[in-house]
Amino acid sequence: MNLLKIRNSSILVIVVLSFFGITNGYSQDHKSIYKRERIKLTEGWLFMKYKSNPDPLIYDVRPEIKEVNDSKVADSKPEEAIQLESKENVLKKWILPSANDFIKDPSKKHIRPMGNPGSDFAFVKTDFNDNHWEQVNVPHDWAIKGPFYTGDNPEVGGGMGRLPSHGVAWYRKKITIPSTDQGKNIYLDIDGAMSYAMVWLNGHLVGGWPYGYNSFRLDLTPYLNFGGENQLAIRIDNPNHSARWYPGGGIYRNVWLTKVEPVHVAQWGTFITTPEVSTNEATINLVLNIENNSKLSQNIEVKTAIYVADDFGKPKGKAITSFPSKTIGLNADEKEQYESQIKLQDPKLWGVYPLQKQHLYIAQTTIYSNGKAIDSYNTPFGIRKIEFNPTTGLFVNGEKIKIQGVNQHHDLGALGAAFNVRAAERQLEILRELGCNAIRFSHNPPAPELLDLTDRMGFLVINEVFDSWERKKTPHDFHLIFPDWHEADTRSFIRRDRNHPSVIAWSFGNEVGEQYTDAEGASIAQKLHDIVLEEDPTRPASASQNYAKPDMPFSKVMDFISLNYQGEGIRDAPAYLHLKGGIRTSPLYPAFQKAFPDKMIVSSETASALSTRGSYIFPVAHENSAPVSDGVGGNPVTKEVSAYELYTAQFGSSPDKVFATQDRHPYVAGEFVWSGWDYLGEPTPYYSARSSYCGIIDLAGFKKDRFYLYQSRWRPDLPLAHILPHWNWENRIGEITPVHVFTSGDEAELFVNGQSLGRKKKENFEYRIRWDEVEYQPGELKVIAYKNGKYWAKETIQTTGKATKLSASVDRSKIKADGQDLAFITVKITDENGLMVPTANNSIHFSIEGQGEIVATDNGDPADLVSFATHERKAFNGMALAIVRAHKGTIKLIITAEGLKKTIVIIKSN
């Protein structure tokens, strides 16, 4: 392959064009030829989950769990795996061949044994009566409605979100394949099923895929009844103690039926790169993989034209250029790869929001046999030039870009793991408002549509595949299948996503236990690294390090240095010295830079600061960073962490400390904060809660005070002044109540009831302005911020009156009536003057009129164990959320609370 990868002593340059999705085929004049069909299988699934005693159709045996510590510190050392022997009656040997397309060495491909296990089991049979099963649509998360497990020894602990994601369940669906499809290849494409998916069709075991985060394809063709109904049956087995966060359960991403002629573009079969890019000209390479699954040799002609993509990802207008047509001879049952190259004049480049535009193209490949189009395959892509410079950081299209990133887990809050495009888009919109320009998808491949969004919205992405390798973090995590599946999972992950313009680097591991095993661990890292570069030699690959040091062999494997917390130091500040156990290290940016002067450094996880939105606990730490504990930033009774944004996990640091460390080491390319949004599970420090405390934004999508601290740094040209805490403290009159201000200015003056408390400047390596001796008196707080000596911004907050009414706003007043689109309604409890009452926790009732439904409610409180499906939700610190789906026409969301004036939100749908 003629792909560009330039390395010298100081710089890595990567230039790539990328695809972000595949649509139905189009002929060259855009008239649909329907030779390739891709049908979304959303509705009409029947679902059953066992309450106990599941069936014996297991993938493989698992180790017995004798002891588990759900609340151990996140940077605890991973443990060695327990060795087990498989039994003869497990189905693993029949499932492993599903990986064969992603195994390079032919001698290591799996041979399917004789027999058809499970064929006599009732649920896979076509005549089984499933009328009593629950009807669901996919994507579907069986656990999100709860109920939450409570108490000290729950079946599912706080680490996995206290929700019933574990267990075994079945999905069944009938599909009709017309007789006119006879002779075609029919595939089932599953974007994600959690986990150990095994698929039967008409009683035949087709195959499966154990890893719940990877997309996979199964060939249904040999088992189909053409001209009639066909019965799909999918078994999902999601073990408890399999993750450190909420995994969700079920078929939680989209499912597709793909129909193609025997000669067709292979799965994820295009790879487009550009060896040279400038504003005047781009050289475009196309690598195309074609399959001939027929029993006859064929001569085909291949044509690929390039179009500008419209706002919906479709070709717009006429083709702007074309690759030379190619005639290829294909033997029966053969795969063929070929390359072609053209030059595009005056290319429009893809870049990072908001500094650059997000231009996208579509390469439309059509295969002809005897002059007749037999397949058409669309490859959206973007042209951009990426440079990894070890001394000056990241450059996109020649422009320096400071990485202002966050980590994101895969759940969507109250919607759970079931992927929804609008919910994901809303998350990214709020992050973009923050000033965030980069996402690290931790610690697994995202839904493919999420990368479509990052392409369209201009985010940079580090795409990650594994949280563990051979050594385990939880008893039933990925280490159980790593030996059999690491190659297939890595190759399929790269092939699916390798041409997204937003993806700038690969991560093949996160804080893995192999950091601790010296050369042995480095050898595994090298094996994974090499697989990644075989699939995509145009991007750098790394694994994040929270333990490995510059002199360890693990670090030498990496193309760039990806540090978790080690840059700013772990447990090294004065407030952390009393902590026992865990990793302890001083800031290591200089040591890594000295050891690897030719590698760019990025902090793949920073901060892990903790807070509960709108909750303030006294006294306030004098240090700029301190670990939370009971009574020191934390309240174990209410399970709240103070929102003064100074408190952290044991291994973490406050934003202030992180900013200072990065500013002292300007060669660091930037950071990915842990985390952008709160997420389900891992509720440090209170594992009796349901969700994390580390987000800049809470689980409902409401901004914490920390949002404005990051915004003041990441959007320095935005006039901003933000005061904390709120000013409703009827039990603190005359008591010291510190006031902190986050501002993009460089100095500020604070007024309490009109009296100035002085004008203060930010000193070097300070990122907030503090008045720590303010005595609380009801009334008004006002801050005026200045920049370069001139007025910049102001904010005023007041002691409110009593709660008297409800106020509501909707993110969009018109949505699609497609069964997927959502409206998010924010509810505030206010006083008579419309000021939000920040201490109000009234119970709010939601009801709906018209053809719509209330999907979920939330309030952002990590300790709230009321089901997300409830229509009655207590406000938390003045706010609550409702999520609504419209089916047709106009709907009314009626919001009431005892003693408060109600409000109504009107939502229209198309």
Side-chain angles (χ1 to χ4, degrees), residues 304 448 857:
T304 300
T857 63

Side-chain angles (χ1 to χ4, degrees), residues 195-325:
S195 51
Y196 290 92
M198 297 191 291
V199 178
W200 284 259
L201 179 68
N202 297 330
H204 299 275
L205 179 59
V206 181
W209 204 278
Y211 190 36
Y213 292 105
N214 259 13
S215 302
F216 63 97
R217 164 173 284 187
L218 298 175
D219 186 2
L220 302 182
T221 314
Y223 313 106
L224 280 168
N225 173 26
F226 289 91
E229 280 192 339
N230 296 267
Q231 181 64 61
L232 270 176
I234 302 177
R235 185 185 190 272
I236 304 296
D237 181 1
N238 204 30
N240 201 357
H241 309 297
S242 61
R244 298 183 299 122
W245 56 84
Y246 175 71
I251 303 175
Y252 71 107
R253 291 178 183 165
N254 281 314
V255 178
W256 307 83
L257 201 65
T258 300
K259 303 179 181 181
V260 291
E261 297 293 330
V263 178
H264 58 268
V265 177
Q267 181 190 20
W268 305 319
T270 53
F271 188 19
I272 303 178
T273 59
T274 53
E276 297 176 358
V277 170
S278 72
T279 55
N280 297 322
E281 183 179 80
T283 302
I284 305 175
N285 272 358
L286 167 67
V287 177
L288 184 62
N289 293 276
I290 300 173
E291 293 183 355
N292 177 11
N293 291 334
S294 74
K295 300 302 179 183
L296 299 173
S297 297
Q298 298 209 29
N299 290 318
I300 60 170
E301 183 181 17
V302 180
K303 296 181 179 181
T304 300
I306 293 180
Y307 296 83
V308 173
D310 66 15
D311 293 340
F312 304 98
K314 304 293 185 183
K316 182 171 67 174
K318 295 182 178 181
I320 59 173
T321 189
S322 295
F323 289 89
S325 63

Side-chain angles (χ1 to χ4, degrees), residues 45-59 62 121 123-124 128 133-134 136 138 140-143 164-173 193-200 232-240 248-252:
W45 291 85
L46 294 170
F47 168 76
M48 188 283 302
K49 183 172 183 284
Y50 292 103
K51 293 182 180 178
S52 60
N53 301 320
D55 57 66
L57 299 175
I58 63 172
Y59 171 81
R62 298 191 189 111
F121 188 68
F123 294 173
V124 311
F128 173 72
W133 284 19
E134 180 184 359
V136 300
V138 299
H140 175 243
D141 180 354
W142 74 47
S165 57
H166 64 305
V168 176
W170 285 81
Y171 292 82
R172 282 168 53 91
K173 180 177 174 62
M194 191 63 68
S195 51
Y196 290 92
M198 297 191 291
V199 178
W200 284 259
L232 270 176
I234 302 177
R235 185 185 190 272
I236 304 296
D237 181 1
N238 204 30
N240 201 357
I251 303 175
Y252 71 107

Side-chain angles (χ1 to χ4, degrees), residues 623-638:
E623 301 92 346
N624 75 345
S625 186
V628 66
S629 61
D630 295 348
V632 181
N635 184 332
V637 176
T638 61

Side-chain angles (χ1 to χ4, degrees), residues 18 27 96 135 204 218 250 283 291 323 366 445 509 614 668 694 780:
S18 312
S27 66
L96 283 170
Q135 187 167 334
H204 299 275
L218 298 175
T283 302
E291 293 183 355
F323 289 89
T366 305
V668 176
C694 52
E780 179 186 88

